[in-house]
Amino acid sequence: MSEMIMVFASMTGNTEEMANAIAEGIRQTGNDLEINDIIESPSASRLEKFDGILLGSYTWGEGDLPDEFLDLYEEMDEINLSGKKAVVFGSGDTAYDQYAGAVDILIEKLKERGAEIVLEGLKVDTSPSPDDIENCKEFGKEFARHLNK
């Protein structure tokens, strides 16, 4: 089985709810993962030790990465993620022109560092509905399948 790490930032609990559902989906496949809130997050170099990387973030303002994600984001410039598989998820608000822009920012950074993005970024409008939670679980299962191919 592949080793996976999830790092997420959540201000109101919406992205954390997504993270928990994705983790549940992964565990339903018999896999496990290390989960880190961005506040307690290890350095970016820790990401290199895992086969699968899941990053989750809410979007701040008009489509920005939240401040608490900036250190990890900048540290990622120093790492090589070639051969790693990754996905990104997060909550946003469709009222803004740039919907869940943090997801797109993190996908681009992972690609820059050589990671293979295996699923389209998962975005939820504000608070996850029961259907969104089910989609998150399926997202986790699908990511685990990509890693175990």
Side-chain angles (χ1 to χ4, degrees):
M1 279 190 226
S2 301
E3 301 253 348
M4 294 178 241
I5 186 170
M6 176 189 290
V7 179
F8 72 92
S10 186
M11 184 169 66
T12 61
N14 295 335
T15 304
E16 182 174 14
E17 200 174 341
M18 293 177 72
N20 290 335
I22 292 167
E24 183 179 333
I26 288 170
R27 290 186 181 114
Q28 287 175 357
T29 67
N31 289 279
D32 200 12
L33 74 157
E34 178 180 311
I35 303 173
N36 296 275
D37 184 300
I38 192 71
I39 303 302
E40 307 145 355
S41 180
S43 68
S45 63
R46 179 120 173 87
L47 299 177
E48 293 177 303
K49 299 178 183 349
F50 293 85
D51 305 309
I53 301 163
L54 301 97
L55 299 181
S57 181
Y58 67 94
T59 297
W60 182 252
E62 294 291 330
D64 298 322
L65 206 55
D67 287 347
E68 59 266 40
F69 227 109
L70 293 178
D71 287 344
L72 182 71
Y73 179 83
E74 290 169 5
E75 285 177 18
M76 288 174 70
D77 287 337
E78 307 301 320
I79 63 173
N80 180 355
L81 298 177
S82 297
K84 311 297 182 185
K85 293 183 180 180
V87 292
V88 181
F89 62 94
S91 59
D93 190 333
T94 54
Y96 290 100
D97 291 338
Q98 182 66 30
Y99 171 55
V103 171
D104 303 324
I105 291 167
L106 290 171
I107 286 172
E108 287 310 308
K109 179 60 80 175
L110 287 164
K111 286 179 180 177
E112 273 176 29
R113 304 317 312 148
E116 176 188 358
I117 305 299
V118 296
L119 297 171
E120 184 177 326
L122 180 62
K123 299 177 179 182
V124 168
D125 187 20
T126 60
S127 182
S129 69
D131 286 344
D132 291 329
I133 294 300
E134 287 306 311
N135 288 339
C136 288
K137 289 177 188 175
E138 287 304 314
F139 186 80
K141 289 177 189 176
E142 187 63 26
F143 184 58
R145 284 191 280 271
H146 276 280
L147 279 180
N148 294 322
K149 282 184 180 179

